[in-house]
Amino acid sequence: MISIPVLLRTARDYLLLWLGLAVLLIVFIVLFTIATNSSLMEQGVEHLKTPFIRKFLTVLMGTDVVSMLSPTVIASFGFTHPLTWTVIIVYCLTVTSGGLAGEMDRGTIDLLAGLP
């Protein structure tokens, strides 16, 4: 069972970090989507028929992009980009470890650990 006061205190402590990372992710995904949509859709799919480029994009996106190239497929790559995953994982690790460390600093970890 999650303790609501501890959850609210952790959310309050990390609100600025959460807002900063949310803005970073939104800006990155928007700029990435604009860049990939403008470059790939204007140039067409002729250069994507090169074996090296086609294999590289297939590995990155997990599917053959030439057969299903559309703005939606290109936009979805921003959400699977390694920078996006790195920021999300770093945030999760920071909040979870910081929440426990904060309880240890306050001296309330014994009370928190004793809760069912």
Side-chain angles (χ1 to χ4, degrees):
M1 182 80 183
I2 297 176
S3 174
I4 299 299
V6 173
L7 184 66
L8 292 175
R9 182 176 33 203
T10 304
R12 184 179 57 243
D13 290 346
Y14 288 98
L15 180 65
L16 188 61
L17 177 66
W18 183 82
L19 289 174
L21 291 177
V23 168
L24 174 73
L25 283 176
I26 290 170
V27 167
F28 171 73
I29 289 174
V30 167
L31 290 177
F32 188 84
T33 304
I34 289 171
T36 55
N37 274 340
S38 64
S39 66
L40 286 177
M41 296 311 276
E42 285 178 3
Q43 294 174 1
V45 294
E46 291 302 319
H47 71 284
L48 293 177
K49 293 181 181 177
T50 308
F52 169 73
I53 295 174
R54 188 171 184 164
K55 184 169 176 88
F56 181 71
L57 287 176
T58 302
V59 169
L60 282 178
M61 297 185 82
T63 186
D64 188 18
V65 294
V66 176
S67 63
M68 56 179 6
L69 187 66
S70 69
T72 306
V73 172
I74 295 171
S76 69
F77 182 61
F79 294 102
T80 60
H81 194 275
L83 178 69
T84 305
W85 284 104
T86 303
V87 168
I88 291 171
I89 290 171
V90 165
Y91 173 74
C92 290
L93 290 175
T94 302
V95 170
T96 54
S97 64
L100 288 176
E103 294 302 319
M104 288 181 197
D105 287 345
R106 291 183 194 99
T108 57
I109 192 68
D110 296 332
L111 176 64
L112 185 63
L115 293 175

